[in-house]
Amino acid sequence: SWIYKRTTAGKAQTVKGLQTGIVPVYQKQNIAVAITAAFLMKDLGFDKLNINHITDGFSMVKWPGRMEFLSGVKTMTGASSVDFLLDGAHNVSGVEGLYELLLKNYGQREKILVWGAMVDKKIGAALIKLSNLMAEIILTKPKGERSATAQQIALSLPEKIQEKCELTDSVE
């Protein structure tokens, strides 16, 4: 849990015991902005806003595909189980949050990255940083009109990283 503190015009406001199902620091910053907006609205006379309702809501946030942990998933052969971390990081701050989480919580574990991207995003830049943590990288094309092909993603990477990559049209 964490603590939100704000002081405006000499008036201190604190919210303790904040928790969220979304882990990265940048999400906590987003939550702090939302709480600040709620305090400002209360200051402007929106008396029905209850900070406890807001913080309770944050504690219940579940966002499938964003820092979603799946533990003990059986492999196709059923012989063993693996853990998955699903994340739809799609911009610099999202990838930075994913990188920090992987480094902090899974530093020594073998990691395999399955990566797809939209053609209008900075395809290679985000992947370069994550590649340092990966034993293997599987590049694929997500569904959608704006999707980059595995080949487009690979060509956006330095040759050294391309050597770690397996290209596939689908992971279905």
Side-chain angles (χ1 to χ4, degrees), residues 23-26 66-70 83-89 93-115 126-137 164:
V23 179
V25 170
Y26 70 91
R66 288 309 299 251
M67 297 294 173
E68 181 179 2
F69 297 92
L70 304 175
D83 297 334
F84 288 92
L85 169 63
L86 305 177
D87 190 62
S93 62
V95 171
E96 183 66 33
L98 176 59
Y99 177 85
E100 294 300 326
L101 179 96
L102 290 170
L103 192 62
K104 180 181 175 186
N105 296 342
Y106 302 96
Q108 300 303 315
R109 290 182 69 178
E110 181 179 68
K111 291 171 279 307
I112 299 170
L113 178 68
V114 179
W115 183 269
L127 186 52
I128 290 169
K129 186 164 190 170
L130 287 174
S131 70
N132 297 324
L133 301 176
M134 302 300 153
E136 184 181 345
I137 300 169
K164 287 173 102 169

Side-chain angles (χ1 to χ4, degrees), residues 6-27:
R6 171 181 175 257
T7 303
T8 304
K11 181 180 174 186
Q13 295 169 311
T14 302
V15 180
K16 296 180 180 180
L18 287 167
Q19 295 185 357
T20 177
I22 301 173
V23 179
V25 170
Y26 70 91
Q27 292 293 6

Side-chain angles (χ1 to χ4, degrees), residues 73-171:
V73 178
K74 291 285 184 189
T75 61
M76 291 174 81
T77 63
S80 61
S81 64
V82 293
D83 297 334
F84 288 92
L85 169 63
L86 305 177
D87 190 62
H90 59 279
N91 57 35
V92 174
S93 62
V95 171
E96 183 66 33
L98 176 59
Y99 177 85
E100 294 300 326
L101 179 96
L102 290 170
L103 192 62
K104 180 181 175 186
N105 296 342
Y106 302 96
Q108 300 303 315
R109 290 182 69 178
E110 181 179 68
K111 291 171 279 307
I112 299 170
L113 178 68
V114 179
W115 183 269
M118 300 296 117
V119 75
D120 58 344
K121 299 290 182 183
K122 294 179 181 175
I123 299 171
L127 186 52
I128 290 169
K129 186 164 190 170
L130 287 174
S131 70
N132 297 324
L133 301 176
M134 302 300 153
E136 184 181 345
I137 300 169
I138 300 168
L139 302 177
T140 190
K141 180 181 178 184
K143 292 180 181 179
E145 293 177 11
R146 296 178 16 245
S147 300
T149 65
Q151 293 78 11
Q152 287 173 310
I153 299 169
L155 291 173
S156 72
L157 301 171
E159 202 170 306
K160 180 181 175 185
I161 297 172
Q162 287 181 27
E163 294 169 5
K164 287 173 102 169
C165 296
E166 175 185 332
L167 281 60
T168 182
D169 292 330
S170 174
V171 290

